[in-house]
DNA sequence: ACGCGGACATGACAAACGTCATCGCAGGTA
DNA sequence: TACCTGCGATGACGTTTGTCATGTCCGCGT
């Protein structure tokens, strides 16, 4: 039996995944958690063979959890096939990456192959990640964009990051250029959709 | 047996919900579809007793589908508990509204109660919907905001909606005022988070 | 030691944005 | 009929952006 832990914040989705996996003869769901910051404790307690992690979770991002679980067999199961996520996930040493609109068979296959020591990446995602490439944004640019994404003004961002307004404008301008956008809002959308934030 | 149709665009989620419901002795999943515009045909073919609809789907919004299925027993199962969604769902005559982070038992209970002719609404959501109230935005204001949400400039919006730039600015200004925001981006966030778009 | 690039800053300017006052026109409603 | 509301428009205004030129400082690789 492959012992699996499922981490996802939405109960229905988490329960659904668990039910789905439990239908398989060789897979057993030994634990379910709904918050990123509860994963480590659950892993210590239940010692699963494979850990399924959603990225968007309260408490701690699935990517952060994956970094801290380096050495364990982690499979990221997420809604958004953002190329940037894949890069960060691989850097965190995950063994698999599956998007939620993949066929069910792909998930069970991923669990088994990861269990066998293989690395499983959604092919479509791999292509788009290689096409889009890594984030061209510097840390600062990403930081400023992230702060701007809630609709904050330049002055707000400057206060929040302890920068001058002029500097903030420069970073925004540079980020707008790099994303190929025509203004702040568009830059935010682009960067978000690619997982650069 | 309660015959159920499940509509959700994410295969893993859809399969998960189906697996979850199939575990119940009195529930049978007779069809699954992944696009809003395929629901009607599937309903005609399989004649389910209860129809589970996600809101965000390609092809056609679950809310639109619900309107066209008026008379059928429809349960909205969605990620976002946006108050505005609940209002529109009820206006569309749905029999139930469940958010995806509700406990699993709530979903099966909802299916059974809807089958029995009851109307089931997530209590937390009902409260927030009554607290937040209906959208204060006029159709035009919502339209302009929606168009602006992708990062479009005033000129873009004006061209797209066949309005004058000045008029667009007026609508935006009015929407910003009504949402209590301090600029366009913030207004978009607020309106989106409440389901007013 | 040198050059390079990233982080940070300043100041200036044009374009875009947000606000206001004001207007005309339709459709309901008192 | 008179009134109100929503839609559409105009013009004017001050503010906020986005861009650019320019400069300093620091860390890194050769």
């Amino acid at each position: 039996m492959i012992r699996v832990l499922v981490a996802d914040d939405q109960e229905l989705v988490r329960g659904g995944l668990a039910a789905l996996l439990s239908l398989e003869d060789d897979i057993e769901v030994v634990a379910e958690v709904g918050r990123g910051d509860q994963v480590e404790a659950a892993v210590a307690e239940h010692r699963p063979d494979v850990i399924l992690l959603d990225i968007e979770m309260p408490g701690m991002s699935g990517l952060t959890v994956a970094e801290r679980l380096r050495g364990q067999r982690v499979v990221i199961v997420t809604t958004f096939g953002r190329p940037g996520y894949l890069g960060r996930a691989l850097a965190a040493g995950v063994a698999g990456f599956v998007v939620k609109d993949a066929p069910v068979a792909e998930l069970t296959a991923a669990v088994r192959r990861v269990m066998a020591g293989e690395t499983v990446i959604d092919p479509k995602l791999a292509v788009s990640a290689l096409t889009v490439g890594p984030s061209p944004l510097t840390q600062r640019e990403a930081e400023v964009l992230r702060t701007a994404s809630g609709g904050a003004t330049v002055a707000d961002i400057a206060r929040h990051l302890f920068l001058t307004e002029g500097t903030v404008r420069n970073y925004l301008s540079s980020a707008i250029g790099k994303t190929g956008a025509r203004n702040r809002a568009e830059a935010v959308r682009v960067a978000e959709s690619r997982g650069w934030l």
Side-chain angles (χ1 to χ4, degrees), chain A:
Chain A
M1 285 296 253
I2 305 174
R3 298 163 53 79
V4 176
L5 179 147
V6 179
D8 192 307
D9 59 329
Q10 298 188 309
E11 290 216 31
L12 285 183
V13 175
R14 184 168 78 243
L17 289 177
L20 219 42
L21 292 167
S22 299
L23 292 179
E24 305 295 314
D25 295 332
D26 54 344
I27 298 177
E28 179 186 9
V29 176
V30 295
E32 297 184 23
V33 300
R35 297 181 51 89
D37 50 12
Q38 291 173 350
V39 175
E40 283 180 282
V43 167
E45 188 184 343
H46 297 97
R47 301 259 154 226
D49 298 311
V50 178
I51 300 159
L52 300 191
L53 288 184
D54 187 16
I55 291 184
E56 272 94 11
M57 278 189 290
M60 187 185 296
S61 158
L63 291 173
T64 310
V65 176
E67 274 167 31
R68 303 176 57 148
L69 290 177
R70 202 179 280 274
Q72 303 275 342
R73 291 182 235 262
V74 172
V75 176
I76 298 287
V77 183
T78 190
T79 299
F80 305 106
R82 305 202 163 146
Y85 284 175
L86 179 54
R88 274 186 275 168
L90 292 178
V94 308
F97 199 107
V98 179
V99 290
K100 281 186 185 164
D101 53 8
V104 172
E106 208 159 294
L107 178 66
T108 55
V111 169
R112 293 195 185 96
R113 293 178 59 188
V114 164
M115 184 64 194
E118 293 179 60
T119 298
V120 185
I121 305 295
D122 196 292
K124 281 184 223 157
L125 208 53
V127 171
S128 72
L130 291 174
T131 306
V132 169
S135 172
L137 302 177
T138 68
Q139 272 200 348
R140 291 296 179 188
E141 287 161 355
E143 215 169 339
V144 170
L145 253 199
R146 210 178 306 124
T147 311
S149 71
T153 76
V154 169
D156 292 335
I157 304 171
R159 264 195 306 280
H160 193 257
L161 299 179
F162 305 103
L163 294 178
T164 300
E165 298 194 12
T167 306
V168 170
R169 274 205 283 277
N170 282 337
Y171 283 135
L172 283 173
S173 183
S174 153
I176 290 168
K178 288 182 180 177
T179 52
R182 292 201 322 299
N183 56 49
R184 196 181 305 196
E186 210 174 292
V188 168
R189 297 274 155 170
V190 171
E192 259 179 0
S193 76
R194 302 195 180 159
W196 290 347
L197 297 188

